[in-house]
């Protein structure tokens, strides 16, 4: 499979309690409040965006990566019970992906790596929604034949995020990037050769 031109496009994903909706710029108005707690930035740094800044950020994200080999897939989490937005998940998919040397997947070879991340607003934390959303995202990525491995970067002291990664099927490695632990789910050789893989499926 060629890795030079194919782009993934986010599609709606449904789980037991959530709908993962592909990101739209219009989501910024509600998401500015969902992500407005400064405590959400304890581990990732920075500060919450106001509506104007978030709208500008979402405009860039929806436009997609300037690199045609890279896919930016972004979703917002809508709680089915009340219709409210509660957080986000994302996947950046590129040929090889971070940590290529240990994957045996070099630039220009078959296989894409998907780096995933998640965030749930403070009022919705503690309900397992991040775990449910991450599992839904991982299941969707496992259905993309070009994706051969998944990655997440998590601070060593972020126990809640580590628990989500583990529940989604990822495992910690001894690799570090900017002080974060690299978690990984590598699909088996059958999948890498075009078959069907067996795979596993941050909370607040």
């Amino acid at each position: 499979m060629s890795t030079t031109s194919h782009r993934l496009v986010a599609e709606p994903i449904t789980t037991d309690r959530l709908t993962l909706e592909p990101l739209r710029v219009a989501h910024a108005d509600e998401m500015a409040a969902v992500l407005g707690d400064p405590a959400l930035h304890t581990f990732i740094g920075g500060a919450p965006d106001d509506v104007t800044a978030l709208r500008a950020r979402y405009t860039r994200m929806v436009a997609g990566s300037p690199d045609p080999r890279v896919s930016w897939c972004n979703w917002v989490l809508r709680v089915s019970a009340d219709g409210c937005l509660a957080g986000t998940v994302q996947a950046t998919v590129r040929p090889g992906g971070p940590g290529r040397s240990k994957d045996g997947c070099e630039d220009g070879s078959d296989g894409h790596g998907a780096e995933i991340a998640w965030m749930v607003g403070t009022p919705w934390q503690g309900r397992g929604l991040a775990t449910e959303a991450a599992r839904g995202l991982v299941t969707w990525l496992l259905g993309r034949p070009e994706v051969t491995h998944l990655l997440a970067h998590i601070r060593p002291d972020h126990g809640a995020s580590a628990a989500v990664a583990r529940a989604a099927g990822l495992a910690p490695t001894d690799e570090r990037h900017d002080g974060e632990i690299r978690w990984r789910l590598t699909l088996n050789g059958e999948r890498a050769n075009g078959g069907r893989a067996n795979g596993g499926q941050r909370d607040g």
Side-chain angles (χ1 to χ4, degrees), residues 5 15 18 22 24 37 48 129 153 165 172:
S5 60
T15 68
L18 299 169
R24 294 183 288 109
D37 185 351
L129 295 180
H153 292 92

Side-chain angles (χ1 to χ4, degrees), residues 2-93:
S2 171
T3 62
T4 58
S5 60
H6 183 73
R7 266 189 170 173
L8 292 184
V9 177
E11 300 170 337
I13 301 169
T14 302
T15 68
D16 287 346
R17 296 178 293 167
L18 299 169
T19 298
L20 280 58
E21 298 181 3
L23 180 70
R24 294 183 288 109
V25 176
H27 286 132
D29 289 359
E30 186 173 353
M31 289 303 300
V34 172
L35 303 179
D37 185 351
L40 291 174
H41 293 260
T42 299
F43 295 99
I44 62 175
D49 288 329
D50 61 20
V51 172
T52 300
L54 194 60
R55 191 177 294 122
R57 175 180 291 187
Y58 283 1
T59 298
R60 294 191 297 271
M61 293 166 69
V62 169
S65 169
D67 185 339
R69 302 172 303 167
V70 177
S71 302
W72 289 350
C73 299
N74 295 276
W75 293 261
V76 294
L77 314 181
R78 189 174 298 279
V79 180
S80 301
D82 58 19
C84 293
L85 298 182
T88 64
V89 293
Q90 64 186 57
T92 300
V93 185

Side-chain angles (χ1 to χ4, degrees), residues 11 15 20 80 83 87 101 103 107 109 121 125 131 134 138 148 162 169 183:
E11 300 170 337
T15 68
L20 280 58
S80 301
S101 61
D103 297 326
D107 276 343
S109 67
Q125 292 181 4
T131 294
V138 167
T148 58
W183 288 63

Side-chain angles (χ1 to χ4, degrees), residues 94-193:
R94 56 171 59 87
R100 289 187 296 272
S101 61
K102 293 199 175 184
D103 297 326
C105 186
E106 300 292 334
D107 276 343
S109 67
D110 289 349
H112 287 58
E115 183 173 354
I116 64 174
W118 48 84
M119 180 178 289
V120 170
T122 302
W124 296 272
Q125 292 181 4
R127 305 181 190 179
L129 295 180
T131 294
E132 184 172 327
R135 283 175 167 166
L137 173 59
V138 167
T139 298
W140 185 82
L141 288 166
L142 293 180
R144 317 277 77 82
E146 59 270 68
V147 176
T148 58
H149 57 284
L150 310 181
L151 301 159
H153 292 92
I154 301 173
R155 283 268 300 269
D157 53 348
H158 198 341
S161 193
V164 172
R166 194 178 301 279
L170 285 76
T173 71
D174 59 1
E175 301 169 57
R176 298 291 188 275
H177 178 74
D178 291 340
E180 295 181 316
I181 297 172
R182 180 170 286 160
W183 288 63
R184 182 187 305 272
L185 169 60
T186 300
L187 307 183
N188 64 23
E190 181 184 356
R191 168 62 173 276
N193 292 324

